[in-house]
Amino acid sequence: MKNLIAANWKMHFDVKEAEDTAKRMASTIKFNGIDIVVCANFTHLDRLNGIFNAGSIKLGAQNMYFEERGAFTGEVSPLMLKAVGCEYVIIGHSERRHIFNEDDELINKKVKSAIEHNLIPIFCIGETYDEREKKQAFSVIERQIESGLRDVDIENVIVAYEPVWAIGTGVAADMATIDKMHNFVRPFVDDVPILYGGSVKPNNAEELAHIENLNGFLVGGASLKAEDFKEIIEKFTKIKGEKYA
Ligand code: 13P
């Protein structure tokens, strides 16, 4: 099973900050048997491609549209992402689902289009606090997987379980919950890596890495500092690196 740790920089850096952080990452993070991906803003991808080009860090986008070209003002196509060196693209992040009203059908089109264009989708799923309170966590996850991955060749997908209530709070979901949710997701996606996201930090990465069906992380806030991101990678590989690499 491939392990992977991805940074989601969200809408945080200007281009200079992105370049500086990318350079620090490129010079300090060495190949260690797992895939490392940085998902940056569209406007920074071309520059970052130049920085990551020769190294072991791969480039990803945070979103895309499913069409190749046309009258879709404000959108970015898979061809455009490929042209600036992207290998990965986050699809269906909870912020896209909840702030920008992306539904399962649109997400499914994006996942399929990414794969058709040789981009690896990091397909995000996760329940909200309200859904968990109403005991709907499993049914929501099941619906997101079944609709989002309908007619998709899943061997080309990475799944990221990100409970919405643990994103950006500083407190990750507890081990038992993540274990239960990843075990629930596993039969739907066979050998596909399942990442966890939601307040992953240097101080909890090692403990979280012990979860059996957890094959890496999708890291938001803590990926904005090269040193913290590197520490998360080291803590993870200490537990899973040799065994799974
Ligand atoms: P945080 O790590 O900041 O909680 O963000 C998680 C996330 O949304 C990654 O996609």
Side-chain angles (χ1 to χ4, degrees):
M1 171 83 62
K2 183 162 96 163
N3 287 312
L4 181 144
I5 295 185
N8 176 8
W9 283 354
K10 307 193 180 183
M11 200 177 72
H12 283 295
F13 286 148
D14 64 27
V15 71
K16 169 88 171 55
E17 291 163 335
E19 279 184 313
D20 289 348
T21 307
K23 280 179 192 159
R24 272 206 300 283
M25 286 185 177
S27 64
T28 56
I29 297 171
K30 301 295 170 212
F31 179 73
N32 53 15
I34 68 168
D35 287 347
I36 310 294
V37 183
V38 170
C39 299
N41 307 86
F42 294 136
T43 48
H44 308 348
L45 291 171
D46 200 22
R47 301 267 193 109
L48 298 190
N49 188 29
I51 294 168
F52 292 143
N53 216 342
S56 52
I57 299 176
K58 299 184 170 147
L59 193 58
Q62 298 172 11
N63 181 30
M64 59 165 240
Y65 195 54
F66 59 85
E67 296 281 5
E68 289 190 345
R69 55 175 63 81
F72 304 104
T73 302
E75 294 297 323
V76 171
S77 87
L79 294 180
M80 295 168 185
L81 298 184
K82 289 296 286 184
V84 290
C86 281
E87 293 178 56
Y88 292 81
V89 56
I90 297 174
I91 304 278
H93 190 278
S94 69
E95 287 145 22
R96 303 287 331 159
R97 291 178 188 265
H98 298 294
I99 304 173
F100 301 100
N101 299 321
E102 293 198 5
D103 61 15
D104 292 319
E105 196 186 332
L106 175 63
I107 289 165
N108 179 244
K109 285 184 179 155
K110 291 184 175 192
V111 170
K112 284 190 199 155
S113 173
I115 292 171
E116 274 164 28
H117 293 90
N118 276 325
L119 287 159
I120 300 173
I122 301 175
F123 167 69
C124 298
I125 54 175
E127 80 284 0
T128 63
Y129 180 79
D130 276 358
E131 288 162 343
R132 173 155 288 273
E133 285 292 292
K134 289 186 198 146
K135 310 247 176 284
Q136 294 168 346
F138 290 118
S139 59
V140 166
I141 295 299
E142 184 167 349
R143 189 209 73 226
Q144 289 175 340
I145 295 174
E146 299 221 304
S147 314
L149 297 183
R150 181 164 294 138
D151 301 327
V152 167
D153 184 2
I154 56 161
E155 73 184 60
N156 300 309
V157 175
I158 311 273
V159 172
Y161 170 63
E162 298 203 304
V164 180
W165 46 274
I167 293 176
T169 60
V171 182
D174 58 281
M175 297 278 286
T177 300
I178 303 173
D179 187 47
K180 215 187 280 180
M181 297 311 285
H182 281 229
N183 288 344
F184 179 75
V185 172
R186 172 55 71 212
F188 291 98
V189 294
D190 296 332
D191 291 333
V192 159
I194 307 173
L195 315 183
Y196 167 76
S199 300
V200 176
K201 308 280 174 203
N203 65 10
N204 60 17
E206 186 170 337
E207 190 187 16
L208 294 171
H210 283 95
I211 294 170
E212 190 190 347
N213 275 314
L214 183 152
N215 312 106
F217 300 127
L218 181 53
V219 188
S223 73
L224 298 172
K225 284 202 182 123
E227 299 70 24
D228 286 356
F229 190 54
K230 177 173 182 270
E231 205 178 324
I232 288 170
I233 294 164
E234 285 168 354
K235 295 265 165 71
F236 177 85
T237 47
K238 193 171 144 195
I239 307 304
K240 290 232 160 120
E242 285 166 32
K243 211 157 113 200
Y244 292 83

PDB file of all heavy atoms in Angstrom, residues 13-42:
ATOM      1  N   PHE A  13      -1.020  31.680   1.292  1.00  0.00           N
ATOM      2  CA  PHE A  13       0.251  32.334   0.958  1.00  0.00           C
ATOM      3  C   PHE A  13       0.140  33.270  -0.240  1.00  0.00           C
ATOM      4  O   PHE A  13      -0.559  32.956  -1.207  1.00  0.00           O
ATOM      5  CB  PHE A  13       1.287  31.267   0.582  1.00  0.00           C
ATOM      6  CG  PHE A  13       1.827  30.469   1.740  1.00  0.00           C
ATOM      7  CD1 PHE A  13       2.201  29.148   1.550  1.00  0.00           C
ATOM      8  CD2 PHE A  13       1.995  31.039   2.996  1.00  0.00           C
ATOM      9  CE1 PHE A  13       2.728  28.402   2.593  1.00  0.00           C
ATOM     10  CE2 PHE A  13       2.521  30.291   4.050  1.00  0.00           C
ATOM     11  CZ  PHE A  13       2.888  28.969   3.847  1.00  0.00           C
ATOM     12  N   ASP A  14       0.906  34.379  -0.220  1.00  0.00           N
ATOM     13  CA  ASP A  14       1.129  35.070  -1.487  1.00  0.00           C
ATOM     14  C   ASP A  14       2.258  34.314  -2.199  1.00  0.00           C
ATOM     15  O   ASP A  14       2.850  33.373  -1.638  1.00  0.00           O
ATOM     16  CB  ASP A  14       1.424  36.569  -1.282  1.00  0.00           C
ATOM     17  CG  ASP A  14       2.708  36.845  -0.528  1.00  0.00           C
ATOM     18  OD1 ASP A  14       3.630  36.008  -0.577  1.00  0.00           O
ATOM     19  OD2 ASP A  14       2.802  37.911   0.114  1.00  0.00           O
ATOM     20  N   VAL A  15       2.586  34.733  -3.405  1.00  0.00           N
ATOM     21  CA  VAL A  15       3.498  33.909  -4.201  1.00  0.00           C
ATOM     22  C   VAL A  15       4.894  33.837  -3.580  1.00  0.00           C
ATOM     23  O   VAL A  15       5.560  32.805  -3.612  1.00  0.00           O
ATOM     24  CB  VAL A  15       3.522  34.359  -5.684  1.00  0.00           C
ATOM     25  CG1 VAL A  15       4.223  35.693  -5.860  1.00  0.00           C
ATOM     26  CG2 VAL A  15       4.143  33.285  -6.566  1.00  0.00           C
ATOM     27  N   LYS A  16       5.328  34.938  -2.956  1.00  0.00           N
ATOM     28  CA  LYS A  16       6.659  34.968  -2.346  1.00  0.00           C
ATOM     29  C   LYS A  16       6.709  34.012  -1.140  1.00  0.00           C
ATOM     30  O   LYS A  16       7.655  33.240  -0.976  1.00  0.00           O
ATOM     31  CB  LYS A  16       6.942  36.427  -1.925  1.00  0.00           C
ATOM     32  CG  LYS A  16       8.123  36.648  -1.051  1.00  0.00           C
ATOM     33  CD  LYS A  16       9.379  36.851  -1.902  1.00  0.00           C
ATOM     34  CE  LYS A  16      10.595  37.297  -1.113  1.00  0.00           C
ATOM     35  NZ  LYS A  16      10.962  36.468   0.000  1.00  0.00           N
ATOM     36  N   GLU A  17       5.670  34.065  -0.318  1.00  0.00           N
ATOM     37  CA  GLU A  17       5.616  33.163   0.846  1.00  0.00           C
ATOM     38  C   GLU A  17       5.581  31.698   0.387  1.00  0.00           C
ATOM     39  O   GLU A  17       6.222  30.831   0.987  1.00  0.00           O
ATOM     40  CB  GLU A  17       4.364  33.460   1.689  1.00  0.00           C
ATOM     41  CG  GLU A  17       4.405  34.789   2.407  1.00  0.00           C
ATOM     42  CD  GLU A  17       3.032  35.262   2.897  1.00  0.00           C
ATOM     43  OE1 GLU A  17       1.988  34.863   2.326  1.00  0.00           O
ATOM     44  OE2 GLU A  17       3.004  36.059   3.841  1.00  0.00           O
ATOM     45  N   ALA A  18       4.827  31.466  -0.680  1.00  0.00           N
ATOM     46  CA  ALA A  18       4.730  30.097  -1.201  1.00  0.00           C
ATOM     47  C   ALA A  18       6.095  29.627  -1.699  1.00  0.00           C
ATOM     48  O   ALA A  18       6.525  28.503  -1.406  1.00  0.00           O
ATOM     49  CB  ALA A  18       3.697  30.036  -2.325  1.00  0.00           C
ATOM     50  N   GLU A  19       6.781  30.484  -2.426  1.00  0.00           N
ATOM     51  CA  GLU A  19       8.106  30.111  -2.946  1.00  0.00           C
ATOM     52  C   GLU A  19       9.094  29.857  -1.802  1.00  0.00           C
ATOM     53  O   GLU A  19       9.856  28.885  -1.837  1.00  0.00           O
ATOM     54  CB  GLU A  19       8.654  31.224  -3.833  1.00  0.00           C
ATOM     55  CG  GLU A  19       8.095  31.191  -5.236  1.00  0.00           C
ATOM     56  CD  GLU A  19       8.723  32.254  -6.109  1.00  0.00           C
ATOM     57  OE1 GLU A  19       8.811  33.419  -5.666  1.00  0.00           O
ATOM     58  OE2 GLU A  19       9.135  31.913  -7.221  1.00  0.00           O
ATOM     59  N   ASP A  20       9.086  30.729  -0.820  1.00  0.00           N
ATOM     60  CA  ASP A  20      10.028  30.575   0.304  1.00  0.00           C
ATOM     61  C   ASP A  20       9.767  29.259   1.045  1.00  0.00           C
ATOM     62  O   ASP A  20      10.704  28.516   1.369  1.00  0.00           O
ATOM     63  CB  ASP A  20       9.891  31.738   1.302  1.00  0.00           C
ATOM     64  CG  ASP A  20      10.440  33.035   0.721  1.00  0.00           C
ATOM     65  OD1 ASP A  20      11.123  32.964  -0.330  1.00  0.00           O
ATOM     66  OD2 ASP A  20      10.170  34.099   1.304  1.00  0.00           O
ATOM     67  N   THR A  21       8.484  28.975   1.299  1.00  0.00           N
ATOM     68  CA  THR A  21       8.147  27.742   2.022  1.00  0.00           C
ATOM     69  C   THR A  21       8.489  26.518   1.170  1.00  0.00           C
ATOM     70  O   THR A  21       9.031  25.528   1.680  1.00  0.00           O
ATOM     71  CB  THR A  21       6.650  27.740   2.398  1.00  0.00           C
ATOM     72  OG1 THR A  21       6.358  28.960   3.086  1.00  0.00           O
ATOM     73  CG2 THR A  21       6.301  26.576   3.296  1.00  0.00           C
ATOM     74  N   ALA A  22       8.198  26.608  -0.125  1.00  0.00           N
ATOM     75  CA  ALA A  22       8.505  25.484  -1.024  1.00  0.00           C
ATOM     76  C   ALA A  22      10.004  25.225  -1.067  1.00  0.00           C
ATOM     77  O   ALA A  22      10.444  24.068  -1.048  1.00  0.00           O
ATOM     78  CB  ALA A  22       7.975  25.781  -2.425  1.00  0.00           C
ATOM     79  N   LYS A  23      10.792  26.287  -1.099  1.00  0.00           N
ATOM     80  CA  LYS A  23      12.256  26.106  -1.139  1.00  0.00           C
ATOM     81  C   LYS A  23      12.754  25.445   0.138  1.00  0.00           C
ATOM     82  O   LYS A  23      13.621  24.569   0.099  1.00  0.00           O
ATOM     83  CB  LYS A  23      12.952  27.467  -1.328  1.00  0.00           C
ATOM     84  CG  LYS A  23      12.935  27.929  -2.771  1.00  0.00           C
ATOM     85  CD  LYS A  23      13.607  29.275  -2.927  1.00  0.00           C
ATOM     86  CE  LYS A  23      13.302  29.833  -4.310  1.00  0.00           C
ATOM     87  NZ  LYS A  23      13.469  31.287  -4.390  1.00  0.00           N
ATOM     88  N   ARG A  24      12.197  25.896   1.269  1.00  0.00           N
ATOM     89  CA  ARG A  24      12.613  25.274   2.542  1.00  0.00           C
ATOM     90  C   ARG A  24      12.224  23.799   2.561  1.00  0.00           C
ATOM     91  O   ARG A  24      12.999  22.946   2.996  1.00  0.00           O
ATOM     92  CB  ARG A  24      11.974  25.998   3.734  1.00  0.00           C
ATOM     93  CG  ARG A  24      12.806  27.173   4.223  1.00  0.00           C
ATOM     94  CD  ARG A  24      12.555  27.484   5.693  1.00  0.00           C
ATOM     95  NE  ARG A  24      11.170  27.825   5.943  1.00  0.00           N
ATOM     96  CZ  ARG A  24      10.626  29.010   5.638  1.00  0.00           C
ATOM     97  NH1 ARG A  24      11.378  29.952   5.106  1.00  0.00           N
ATOM     98  NH2 ARG A  24       9.365  29.245   5.877  1.00  0.00           N
ATOM     99  N   MET A  25      11.040  23.502   2.063  1.00  0.00           N
ATOM    100  CA  MET A  25      10.622  22.094   2.025  1.00  0.00           C
ATOM    101  C   MET A  25      11.506  21.294   1.078  1.00  0.00           C
ATOM    102  O   MET A  25      11.949  20.193   1.409  1.00  0.00           O
ATOM    103  CB  MET A  25       9.161  21.985   1.580  1.00  0.00           C
ATOM    104  CG  MET A  25       8.174  22.402   2.651  1.00  0.00           C
ATOM    105  SD  MET A  25       6.471  22.109   2.108  1.00  0.00           S
ATOM    106  CE  MET A  25       5.564  22.602   3.571  1.00  0.00           C
ATOM    107  N   ALA A  26      11.768  21.855  -0.091  1.00  0.00           N
ATOM    108  CA  ALA A  26      12.554  21.117  -1.097  1.00  0.00           C
ATOM    109  C   ALA A  26      13.969  20.829  -0.593  1.00  0.00           C
ATOM    110  O   ALA A  26      14.547  19.793  -0.912  1.00  0.00           O
ATOM    111  CB  ALA A  26      12.596  21.897  -2.407  1.00  0.00           C
ATOM    112  N   SER A  27      14.513  21.745   0.205  1.00  0.00           N
ATOM    113  CA  SER A  27      15.887  21.525   0.652  1.00  0.00           C
ATOM    114  C   SER A  27      15.968  20.657   1.907  1.00  0.00           C
ATOM    115  O   SER A  27      17.034  20.126   2.212  1.00  0.00           O
ATOM    116  CB  SER A  27      16.600  22.859   0.875  1.00  0.00           C
ATOM    117  OG  SER A  27      15.956  23.545   1.922  1.00  0.00           O
ATOM    118  N   THR A  28      14.870  20.509   2.635  1.00  0.00           N
ATOM    119  CA  THR A  28      14.970  19.740   3.888  1.00  0.00           C
ATOM    120  C   THR A  28      14.250  18.393   3.851  1.00  0.00           C
ATOM    121  O   THR A  28      14.606  17.483   4.591  1.00  0.00           O
ATOM    122  CB  THR A  28      14.407  20.546   5.085  1.00  0.00           C
ATOM    123  OG1 THR A  28      13.065  20.920   4.798  1.00  0.00           O
ATOM    124  CG2 THR A  28      15.230  21.781   5.373  1.00  0.00           C
ATOM    125  N   ILE A  29      13.231  18.276   3.013  1.00  0.00           N
ATOM    126  CA  ILE A  29      12.470  17.021   2.994  1.00  0.00           C
ATOM    127  C   ILE A  29      13.049  16.103   1.925  1.00  0.00           C
ATOM    128  O   ILE A  29      13.044  16.440   0.744  1.00  0.00           O
ATOM    129  CB  ILE A  29      10.968  17.277   2.732  1.00  0.00           C
ATOM    130  CG1 ILE A  29      10.381  18.106   3.882  1.00  0.00           C
ATOM    131  CG2 ILE A  29      10.210  15.961   2.569  1.00  0.00           C
ATOM    132  CD1 ILE A  29       8.968  18.605   3.651  1.00  0.00           C
ATOM    133  N   LYS A  30      13.585  14.997   2.352  1.00  0.00           N
ATOM    134  CA  LYS A  30      14.224  14.064   1.414  1.00  0.00           C
ATOM    135  C   LYS A  30      13.303  12.875   1.165  1.00  0.00           C
ATOM    136  O   LYS A  30      12.462  12.551   1.977  1.00  0.00           O
ATOM    137  CB  LYS A  30      15.552  13.552   1.988  1.00  0.00           C
ATOM    138  CG  LYS A  30      16.540  14.662   2.288  1.00  0.00           C
ATOM    139  CD  LYS A  30      16.982  15.360   1.012  1.00  0.00           C
ATOM    140  CE  LYS A  30      17.780  16.618   1.345  1.00  0.00           C
ATOM    141  NZ  LYS A  30      17.651  17.700   0.387  1.00  0.00           N
ATOM    142  N   PHE A  31      13.567  12.209   0.071  1.00  0.00           N
ATOM    143  CA  PHE A  31      12.762  11.037  -0.250  1.00  0.00           C
ATOM    144  C   PHE A  31      12.899   9.997   0.860  1.00  0.00           C
ATOM    145  O   PHE A  31      13.988   9.673   1.288  1.00  0.00           O
ATOM    146  CB  PHE A  31      13.209  10.420  -1.582  1.00  0.00           C
ATOM    147  CG  PHE A  31      12.413   9.203  -1.926  1.00  0.00           C
ATOM    148  CD1 PHE A  31      11.100   9.300  -2.344  1.00  0.00           C
ATOM    149  CD2 PHE A  31      12.974   7.943  -1.781  1.00  0.00           C
ATOM    150  CE1 PHE A  31      10.361   8.172  -2.637  1.00  0.00           C
ATOM    151  CE2 PHE A  31      12.234   6.799  -2.073  1.00  0.00           C
ATOM    152  CZ  PHE A  31      10.932   6.922  -2.502  1.00  0.00           C
ATOM    153  N   ASN A  32      11.797   9.525   1.350  1.00  0.00           N
ATOM    154  CA  ASN A  32      11.871   8.571   2.460  1.00  0.00           C
ATOM    155  C   ASN A  32      10.880   7.436   2.282  1.00  0.00           C
ATOM    156  O   ASN A  32      10.377   6.895   3.247  1.00  0.00           O
ATOM    157  CB  ASN A  32      11.632   9.307   3.783  1.00  0.00           C
ATOM    158  CG  ASN A  32      10.339  10.093   3.727  1.00  0.00           C
ATOM    159  OD1 ASN A  32       9.514   9.865   2.846  1.00  0.00           O
ATOM    160  ND2 ASN A  32      10.145  10.994   4.656  1.00  0.00           N
ATOM    161  N   GLY A  33      10.544   7.127   1.036  1.00  0.00           N
ATOM    162  CA  GLY A  33       9.698   5.965   0.781  1.00  0.00           C
ATOM    163  C   GLY A  33       8.219   6.240   0.744  1.00  0.00           C
ATOM    164  O   GLY A  33       7.425   5.342   0.493  1.00  0.00           O
ATOM    165  N   ILE A  34       7.821   7.470   1.055  1.00  0.00           N
ATOM    166  CA  ILE A  34       6.402   7.784   0.898  1.00  0.00           C
ATOM    167  C   ILE A  34       6.271   8.973  -0.048  1.00  0.00           C
ATOM    168  O   ILE A  34       7.222   9.716  -0.251  1.00  0.00           O
ATOM    169  CB  ILE A  34       5.705   8.090   2.241  1.00  0.00           C
ATOM    170  CG1 ILE A  34       6.218   9.406   2.837  1.00  0.00           C
ATOM    171  CG2 ILE A  34       5.882   6.962   3.227  1.00  0.00           C
ATOM    172  CD1 ILE A  34       5.349   9.880   3.986  1.00  0.00           C
ATOM    173  N   ASP A  35       5.090   9.135  -0.626  1.00  0.00           N
ATOM    174  CA  ASP A  35       4.877  10.263  -1.533  1.00  0.00           C
ATOM    175  C   ASP A  35       4.527  11.516  -0.732  1.00  0.00           C
ATOM    176  O   ASP A  35       3.708  11.460   0.187  1.00  0.00           O
ATOM    177  CB  ASP A  35       3.747   9.946  -2.519  1.00  0.00           C
ATOM    178  CG  ASP A  35       4.195   8.943  -3.567  1.00  0.00           C
ATOM    179  OD1 ASP A  35       5.416   8.701  -3.672  1.00  0.00           O
ATOM    180  OD2 ASP A  35       3.328   8.399  -4.272  1.00  0.00           O
ATOM    181  N   ILE A  36       5.168  12.613  -1.102  1.00  0.00           N
ATOM    182  CA  ILE A  36       4.900  13.896  -0.469  1.00  0.00           C
ATOM    183  C   ILE A  36       4.343  14.829  -1.546  1.00  0.00           C
ATOM    184  O   ILE A  36       4.922  14.963  -2.626  1.00  0.00           O
ATOM    185  CB  ILE A  36       6.194  14.546   0.097  1.00  0.00           C
ATOM    186  CG1 ILE A  36       6.979  13.554   0.968  1.00  0.00           C
ATOM    187  CG2 ILE A  36       5.860  15.831   0.850  1.00  0.00           C
ATOM    188  CD1 ILE A  36       6.299  13.130   2.223  1.00  0.00           C
ATOM    189  N   VAL A  37       3.217  15.457  -1.234  1.00  0.00           N
ATOM    190  CA  VAL A  37       2.551  16.326  -2.215  1.00  0.00           C
ATOM    191  C   VAL A  37       2.255  17.675  -1.564  1.00  0.00           C
ATOM    192  O   VAL A  37       1.854  17.728  -0.403  1.00  0.00           O
ATOM    193  CB  VAL A  37       1.201  15.705  -2.668  1.00  0.00           C
ATOM    194  CG1 VAL A  37       0.537  16.568  -3.731  1.00  0.00           C
ATOM    195  CG2 VAL A  37       1.390  14.283  -3.170  1.00  0.00           C
ATOM    196  N   VAL A  38       2.459  18.747  -2.318  1.00  0.00           N
ATOM    197  CA  VAL A  38       2.040  20.069  -1.862  1.00  0.00           C
ATOM    198  C   VAL A  38       0.948  20.583  -2.797  1.00  0.00           C
ATOM    199  O   VAL A  38       1.162  20.701  -4.006  1.00  0.00           O
ATOM    200  CB  VAL A  38       3.229  21.061  -1.820  1.00  0.00           C
ATOM    201  CG1 VAL A  38       2.728  22.486  -1.589  1.00  0.00           C
ATOM    202  CG2 VAL A  38       4.204  20.680  -0.715  1.00  0.00           C
ATOM    203  N   CYS A  39      -0.228  20.853  -2.233  1.00  0.00           N
ATOM    204  CA  CYS A  39      -1.358  21.360  -3.025  1.00  0.00           C
ATOM    205  C   CYS A  39      -1.460  22.867  -2.790  1.00  0.00           C
ATOM    206  O   CYS A  39      -1.800  23.314  -1.688  1.00  0.00           O
ATOM    207  CB  CYS A  39      -2.651  20.672  -2.617  1.00  0.00           C
ATOM    208  SG  CYS A  39      -2.582  18.885  -2.896  1.00  0.00           S
ATOM    209  N   ALA A  40      -1.131  23.614  -3.828  1.00  0.00           N
ATOM    210  CA  ALA A  40      -1.016  25.071  -3.701  1.00  0.00           C
ATOM    211  C   ALA A  40      -2.082  25.768  -4.534  1.00  0.00           C
ATOM    212  O   ALA A  40      -2.862  25.139  -5.239  1.00  0.00           O
ATOM    213  CB  ALA A  40       0.375  25.503  -4.149  1.00  0.00           C
ATOM    214  N   ASN A  41      -2.095  27.096  -4.449  1.00  0.00           N
ATOM    215  CA  ASN A  41      -3.068  27.892  -5.208  1.00  0.00           C
ATOM    216  C   ASN A  41      -2.702  27.906  -6.685  1.00  0.00           C
ATOM    217  O   ASN A  41      -1.538  27.843  -7.056  1.00  0.00           O
ATOM    218  CB  ASN A  41      -3.076  29.330  -4.683  1.00  0.00           C
ATOM    219  CG  ASN A  41      -3.295  29.356  -3.196  1.00  0.00           C
ATOM    220  OD1 ASN A  41      -2.340  29.244  -2.440  1.00  0.00           O
ATOM    221  ND2 ASN A  41      -4.537  29.445  -2.787  1.00  0.00           N
ATOM    222  N   PHE A  42      -3.723  28.060  -7.518  1.00  0.00           N
ATOM    223  CA  PHE A  42      -3.509  28.056  -8.967  1.00  0.00           C
ATOM    224  C   PHE A  42      -2.416  29.042  -9.387  1.00  0.00           C
ATOM    225  O   PHE A  42      -1.580  28.738 -10.229  1.00  0.00           O
ATOM    226  CB  PHE A  42      -4.806  28.442  -9.693  1.00  0.00           C
ATOM    227  CG  PHE A  42      -5.917  27.441  -9.537  1.00  0.00           C
ATOM    228  CD1 PHE A  42      -7.210  27.862  -9.269  1.00  0.00           C
ATOM    229  CD2 PHE A  42      -5.681  26.082  -9.672  1.00  0.00           C
ATOM    230  CE1 PHE A  42      -8.254  26.948  -9.142  1.00  0.00           C
ATOM    231  CE2 PHE A  42      -6.713  25.156  -9.546  1.00  0.00           C
ATOM    232  CZ  PHE A  42      -8.005  25.600  -9.280  1.00  0.00           C
TER     233      PHE A  42
END
